[in-house]
Amino acid sequence: MIDEKMMSKKKPTYPVSKALEAYLERYSRKIEIPICYDDLLRFIGSVVVYDSNDEDTLWVRVYYNEYDRQEIDTSLKRVYSLLLSDGSGHIDQYLNVDSVDYCTFGNSKPFRIKVRNVLNDNFTYFYVKKADASRIYGLELEHMLSPYNLNFMVYKDTLIEEHIAGIPGDVFIKEMLPNCTEFEKAQLAKEFVKFNERCMIRLLGDMRSYNYVIVATHDFDHVVYRIRAIDFDQQSFEGKLNVYRPQFFKENYKMVELVRSKLLKDSIDQYKLEERSIVAKRILSSGNRIKLLDKVCKKDHISLPENVEKLKGQIYDLTKDIQFKKCKTMGEILNLALDFVKRNYQGVSMKQILEHKIKI
């Protein structure tokens, strides 16, 4: 398990470069919005938000003076429309901003906005955060390389993210995992192996249990579980390879034990192969989009020089690919890691694994 001291105490926020901004505009991620992150910091007070067990959620509900509140509500409704609808104001009359919550924990200190439809009381959330280049790369990579599409937009120094629904991993492990059937536990073990592999391939770090959610879907006569990342702050920043492997965090210990008790080594190898192969296919199907993102990322600075040196050495030790030793930026390491997967696992069969022609 990873000791928390192996993680940087606070990751710096990296600005959005001109090249990244141009990429975002090309793919309709850059959209002008009427409010920025700093506007929401003008709150005049707050109250602690507790969960159903009266425990502190580390969120506070903020409130504003009457003049600011009217302006902020109108702007947040427009942001909702831009993110989830056609951007026009005709739906504003049906919307109400029920709450603005501020998170006091972690690097990004986001605002969580709850918007409710007054006609039927359906509601949804979205998040307002400081734009951070490494987080944006993480969101784009998740959109292209995971089974899920992500909806977000960026304007100047503000990032708007759609809410990702699911059961927080730490809550699921504590309250729901003990009640799962043996079949469901085996399925969760499989999903954790694949999730672990996907994070390592694309260098998404800090996937402790509270940074991902469990998504449950009913399928015929059973429930299918999937694991989905919700925090992309640690995309390609840390210098230790194990930070990009969820299995090494103590918060995931019970999931690791589940893998040990439910899966044979051959099965684990099979699921690793499946994930690497599907990621290789997604890289190919992403075409010019991922090529352009890689080109931008290779020239960007989203980590510290000592982290780059440490990580490229550890990945070389794992892959024996001499090209990693030539990398100067995290973007170059990421590009080579994705290219390595594409070259080595596109069209690989289980027979090649069993015959030891391909190393897992």
Side-chain angles (χ1 to χ4, degrees):
M1 300 294 118
I2 286 186
D3 188 285
E4 295 218 12
K5 292 180 181 178
M6 293 181 69
M7 296 279 298
S8 300
K9 288 185 177 180
K10 183 172 176 59
K11 184 187 82 69
T13 298
Y14 291 96
V16 178
S17 67
K18 293 293 184 182
L20 180 55
E21 186 178 351
Y23 168 90
L24 294 169
E25 187 167 15
R26 176 171 179 172
Y27 291 101
S28 303
R29 299 292 200 188
K30 179 187 174 185
I31 300 174
E32 185 175 353
I33 56 176
I35 194 169
C36 67
Y37 178 88
D38 288 343
D39 291 332
L40 295 179
L41 291 173
R42 303 202 309 255
F43 56 86
I44 59 174
S46 65
V47 293
V48 176
V49 177
Y50 295 96
D51 64 16
S52 58
N53 297 318
D54 290 328
E55 294 182 2
D56 189 350
T57 62
L58 302 178
W59 289 85
V60 295
R61 188 146 298 162
V62 301
Y63 53 91
Y64 303 85
N65 65 49
E66 190 61 28
Y67 175 78
D68 282 342
R69 181 72 201 206
Q70 292 177 4
E71 180 185 359
I72 287 171
D73 276 13
T74 300
S75 297
L76 290 175
K77 290 176 186 178
R78 184 55 53 86
V79 170
Y80 172 93
S81 181
L82 288 166
L83 184 67
L84 299 169
S85 186
D86 62 356
S88 66
H90 75 276
I91 65 171
D92 289 5
Q93 60 185 315
Y94 308 120
L95 301 177
N96 186 70
V97 178
D98 277 6
S99 62
V100 177
D101 297 338
Y102 179 60
C103 184
T104 57
F105 175 74
N107 285 325
S108 60
K109 291 186 169 51
F111 285 93
R112 180 178 63 196
I113 317 300
K114 181 181 179 181
V115 179
R116 176 174 55 88
N117 186 307
V118 297
L119 299 179
N120 51 40
D121 284 340
N122 283 320
F123 63 87
T124 190
Y125 296 98
F126 66 86
Y127 298 86
V128 181
K129 304 177 180 179
K130 272 284 190 184
D132 175 31
S134 54
R135 177 181 290 276
I136 292 169
Y137 287 120
L139 288 164
E140 273 293 290
L141 288 168
E142 182 75 2
H143 180 76
M144 288 185 272
L145 302 183
S146 80
Y148 314 103
N149 292 328
L150 290 182
N151 189 13
F152 70 94
M153 55 190 185
V154 181
Y155 186 65
K156 294 183 178 178
D157 63 347
T158 300
L159 169 67
I160 309 295
E161 283 184 40
E162 187 178 25
H163 175 65
I164 298 174
I167 306 164
D170 54 338
V171 174
F172 184 91
I173 291 170
K174 180 181 178 181
E175 299 179 7
M176 302 181 71
L177 182 58
N179 299 320
C180 288
T181 66
E182 295 307 307
F183 170 76
E184 289 171 340
K185 289 179 179 179
Q187 186 198 92
L188 282 161
K190 167 190 171 182
E191 287 302 316
F192 188 77
V193 169
K194 300 183 84 169
F195 177 68
N196 187 77
E197 199 66 19
R198 189 162 66 246
C199 290
M200 184 182 70
I201 289 170
R202 43 147 315 176
L203 300 182
L204 177 61
D206 194 19
M207 279 298 108
R208 286 174 277 192
S209 56
Y210 48 77
N211 286 332
Y212 60 80
V213 294
I214 309 295
V215 181
T217 305
H218 287 268
D219 184 27
F220 294 107
D221 59 348
H222 65 285
V223 178
V224 177
Y225 292 101
R226 296 286 186 266
I227 302 177
R228 186 173 181 184
I230 59 171
D231 191 339
F232 305 93
D233 186 57
Q234 291 286 342
Q235 173 65 48
S236 307
F237 173 75
E238 292 288 348
K240 296 180 174 63
L241 182 60
N242 283 349
V243 172
Y244 303 104
R245 304 169 77 181
Q247 71 185 83
F248 287 102
F249 288 100
K250 64 178 184 292
E251 290 84 354
N252 295 326
Y253 176 75
K254 289 187 178 179
M255 297 297 283
V256 174
E257 285 300 298
L258 208 59
V259 172
R260 287 175 179 163
S261 64
K262 293 296 179 183
L263 302 180
L264 298 173
K265 184 181 183 302
D266 284 348
S267 295
I268 294 173
D269 288 346
Q270 174 195 340
Y271 298 140
K272 286 182 177 181
L273 168 64
E274 287 180 6
E275 195 59 31
R276 294 180 191 182
S277 297
I278 195 66
V279 168
K281 291 173 184 176
R282 289 182 185 130
I283 293 170
L284 292 170
S285 65
S286 296
N288 291 331
R289 182 167 183 163
I290 197 165
K291 290 179 183 177
L292 181 56
L293 185 70
D294 282 345
K295 181 180 179 181
V296 172
C297 191
K298 279 161 57 173
K299 297 179 180 179
D300 213 342
H301 294 281
I302 53 174
S303 187
L304 305 174
E306 56 266 32
N307 288 353
V308 175
E309 289 299 314
K310 184 178 293 183
L311 184 61
K312 72 182 186 182
Q314 292 186 5
I315 295 182
Y316 168 76
D317 292 339
L318 180 68
T319 64
K320 302 305 179 185
D321 186 337
I322 194 66
Q323 294 302 316
F324 281 103
K325 288 195 169 185
K326 302 177 183 178
C327 293
K328 303 296 183 183
T329 66
M330 277 292 184
E332 291 181 357
I333 295 175
L334 175 63
N335 176 258
L336 275 178
L338 296 179
D339 187 61
F340 182 86
V341 170
K342 184 175 68 175
R343 284 187 287 109
N344 288 283
Y345 293 96
Q346 181 190 359
V348 172
S349 68
M350 195 62 197
K351 182 179 179 182
Q352 290 174 285
I353 299 292
L354 295 174
E355 291 176 353
H356 305 290
K357 293 180 179 179
I358 297 292
K359 182 180 179 183
I360 291 289

